[in-house]
Amino acid sequence: MRHVSRLPAAALPFLLACGGAAPAASSTPPSAQPPVVLAPPSPLTETTTEHLARDMPLTTPGGATFTAPAGWWLQSETKRRILTGPEPDLRVAIVDVTTPNADDAVAAAWPALESGFHRPLRLAQPRPARHGWDEHRDYDYETSPDEKLVVGATALRRGGDWTVLLVESSLASFDKRSATLSLVGESLRPRGYARESFAGKTPHALDADRIKRIVDVVEQGRQALGIPGVALSLVQGGKVVFEGGLGVRELGKPAKVDPDTLFLIASNTKAMSTLLLAKEVDEGKFTWETPVADVYPGFKLGDAETTRQVRMKHLICACTGLPRQDMEWLFEFKNATPATTMDLLGTIQPTTKFGETFQYSNLLAAAAGFVGGHLAYPKRELGAAYDEAMQTRVFGPLGMKATTFDYGRALAGDHAAPHGMDVDGKMAVASMDLNRSAIPLRPAGGAWSNVRDVTRYVQMELADGKLPDGKPFVSAKALRARRDPQVSMGESTTYGMGLMVDSRYDVPIVHHGGDLIGFHSDMFWLPDQGVGGVILTNGDGGWLLRAAFLRKVLEELYDGKPEALEDVTAAAKSEKAEIAKDRERLVMPPAPEATARLAKHYRSKALGEIVVTTKGPAVTFDFGEWKSAVASRKNDDGTTSMVTVDPGVGGDVFVVGERNGKRTLVVRDMQHEYAFEEVP
């Protein structure tokens, strides 16, 4: 669960990355570089085209291997493979190029996908070379919001040869097909490379020295990313072998993070909600295959056929075809309730076929918890029923005494404050206002908890549903069913019911992350090895730290390649470069000519109102539930955007325009567009 209204300028490297950040690009002077060797473009080459009925392992002429997704079109030519998605505006090219320089390799590759390609480069960044590659460099290109495009490239070198991956896509298709794009990118490897595997290895005991090395990497990553505070734990053999905190609860204040400090755990709540459902399966209230409408007759989606197909297991499987449509509750939540959240589901249309691809839905996940609560306490209001069911049937029995959905209670005690980057890339305290949007759909991400309580939950998962005293809490069958694959997320990861299973190292890792404004967390466990961990952070950038934490734990368990520290420090450098590049185009306070084009008051049927206030040259957009100062940005297509800049909510893009004689502000998520119109 995460504020996602900002457009993902840097999304491509995360989907297609073969590792984190890389050594610097080749320093060979341009004058000394040999000419690029590339096959001439079609039609001078022999071309074959086919529609793929299944995922297909392929090899490029240069020997690199990758998997092409089922349902896509494959065009094969000398030196290149071109993939077109189910939507024709999504195209991927994999091109072999011989040259020692990444920039030249990418420039030479682009004509394979688009003749006369001349789009301005926004940012090129090195990444750590991983998975058998000697060098890795990512390229992100300038796009204007009204183009609704993602354009990027990745250059990978093995020896003197480059494999270049190019992507050009509409935002909507990119979002729908993110999992299959990940399949292509994650599977792209050089000739003869065998990925790192921990299969069959006996994990080391996490003794004091190994734990110290893990904590040291987390601390170095925390400092590199500027995250104020972190709580973390480690479990092995049924016992907590480490539990502690690093840094402070709030910048400028001395209170330290400790195992009792509360954080918003966001989407980690999802797995706990499905645990309630698992207990109800054991009680015979339904099976995972029961149609939701049979259990809760008021359940309705925007599409009748999809409604008919949804079983209880599908409420939180990210596999129904419903898109991530978050803006409508992020912008307009003041009067929202669990009942209106359920009603909102009835307006949402699927954008892919049922079971076709991974599409995350917070609203459906919220429905899962509310249906579970309703079954437990059918005469109570949906939210009250869910809260009571979770306290009496999940949190209480597991000993999670501090975990709560009560924001007032959490904020009155030992809690971490949220933090985000300001417009200049400096970490600062963020407002809690927007995080309150999670309250009306709290089964998807509204719980406050601490590392001590979340660790108790992980221990129960590792104990196959048993409590510390050995008594059964939930059956192993119902518990494990939540991990069964419902939809693929890429080459080695599947999504179940509020849980992901990652098998990239041939050792299954069950986990789920959580993201809200200024709070980013993860919990994971290796069920076959009896090892687990929890990390909670109170600063944006925490999503980068949690990946390094898991990687470092695996390194210590299995003597894995030492990559975690380089990954997180390189990611921190990249994050700072992204923020600095964005800042170059922002005018803060806004340019006078941009401010002059704004109305004082706007309204959107779906997203509510914006009141524009000025104080001298400064401009603030007040959405009622939350607000932010804004900067202006002149886009390459001549349009002007107003961009939110407050810590935690920076990056929302509103294009200034006019429709039917009224001034407008247009904001988009990946698949939807919303227009605010001037109120006379």
Side-chain angles (χ1 to χ4, degrees), residues 47-363:
T47 302
T48 61
T49 302
E50 60 181 312
H51 188 251
L52 303 178
R54 58 180 178 82
D55 291 351
M56 183 175 292
L58 296 173
T59 303
T60 72
T65 58
F66 69 99
T67 300
W72 288 44
W73 291 90
L74 169 67
Q75 181 180 346
S76 298
E77 301 176 5
T78 304
K79 291 287 186 181
R80 73 200 78 203
R81 301 287 184 265
I82 299 174
L83 296 166
T84 302
E87 296 80 17
D89 59 10
L90 168 55
R91 297 193 304 150
V92 176
I94 300 174
V95 186
D96 292 329
V97 182
T98 300
T99 177
N101 180 274
D103 294 349
D104 285 349
V106 170
W110 267 113
L113 199 61
E114 182 181 330
S115 61
F117 180 82
H118 59 276
R119 186 171 293 273
L121 178 66
R122 175 179 172 271
L123 193 62
Q125 296 201 76
R127 308 280 181 184
R130 297 285 183 259
H131 310 302
W133 298 105
D134 298 322
E135 190 173 345
H136 177 168
R137 192 168 176 85
D138 285 331
Y139 296 75
D140 180 36
Y141 294 87
E142 289 286 356
T143 61
S144 297
D146 283 351
E147 292 184 279
K148 296 179 278 190
L149 285 176
V150 174
V151 184
T154 293
L156 301 161
R157 180 178 60 81
R158 178 68 175 266
D161 297 323
W162 291 89
T163 298
V164 179
L165 188 149
L166 309 171
V167 174
E168 190 170 57
S169 174
S170 70
L171 284 172
S173 297
F174 185 87
D175 192 46
K176 295 174 196 175
R177 307 297 169 184
S178 61
T180 41
L181 280 166
S182 293
L183 170 63
V184 177
E186 291 168 2
S187 64
L188 184 57
R189 302 187 185 95
R191 182 201 306 268
Y193 174 76
R195 68 182 188 181
E196 187 177 23
S197 175
F198 302 138
K201 295 185 177 181
T202 301
H204 293 292
L206 293 176
D207 58 20
D209 289 341
R210 293 183 185 277
I211 291 170
K212 182 179 185 304
R213 289 194 289 268
I214 293 168
V215 175
D216 285 349
V217 165
V218 173
E219 173 61 9
Q220 290 176 72
R222 182 188 74 81
Q223 293 187 24
L225 291 161
I227 297 170
V230 176
L232 67 158
S233 69
L234 292 165
V235 175
Q236 188 172 40
K239 298 180 180 179
V240 178
V241 296
F242 179 82
E243 211 167 53
L246 305 168
V248 295
R249 302 176 201 169
E250 182 175 339
L251 284 176
K253 296 183 178 180
K256 302 291 186 181
V257 170
D258 58 43
D260 296 310
T261 301
L262 290 171
F263 295 73
L264 266 174
I265 63 170
S267 287
N268 292 293
T269 312
K270 289 180 170 69
M272 299 173 189
S273 295
T274 63
L275 183 59
L276 169 64
L277 298 183
K279 288 184 67 62
E280 292 177 335
V281 167
D282 281 344
E283 294 165 2
K285 294 182 182 296
F286 57 85
T287 74
W288 293 120
E289 301 296 333
T290 302
V292 177
D294 289 357
V295 175
Y296 187 82
F299 176 74
K300 181 182 177 182
L301 304 177
D303 177 79
E305 177 60 19
T306 305
T307 303
R308 185 189 65 78
Q309 294 181 76
V310 176
R311 304 296 190 255
M312 289 298 292
K313 68 181 182 181
H314 296 139
L315 280 174
I316 199 165
C317 70
C319 66
T320 63
L322 264 66
R324 183 168 189 156
Q325 198 163 326
D326 288 346
M327 278 194 175
E328 292 170 32
W329 56 267
L330 284 166
F331 277 74
E332 192 72 347
F333 60 86
K334 180 171 58 179
N335 298 316
T337 66
T340 64
T341 295
M342 298 292 283
D343 291 342
L344 186 57
L345 273 172
T347 70
I348 297 178
Q349 299 290 332
T351 58
T352 56
K353 294 178 182 178
F354 193 97
E356 183 179 11
T357 188
F358 174 86
Q359 291 207 71
Y360 199 75
S361 173
N362 282 305
L363 288 168

Side-chain angles (χ1 to χ4, degrees), residues 537-560:
T537 75
N538 68 342
D540 288 343
W543 59 85
L544 300 169
L545 185 57
R546 67 191 181 200
F549 172 54
L550 173 55
R551 174 65 203 184
K552 185 58 181 174
V553 171
L554 294 172
E555 289 173 9
E556 292 299 330
L557 283 173
Y558 294 108
D559 295 327

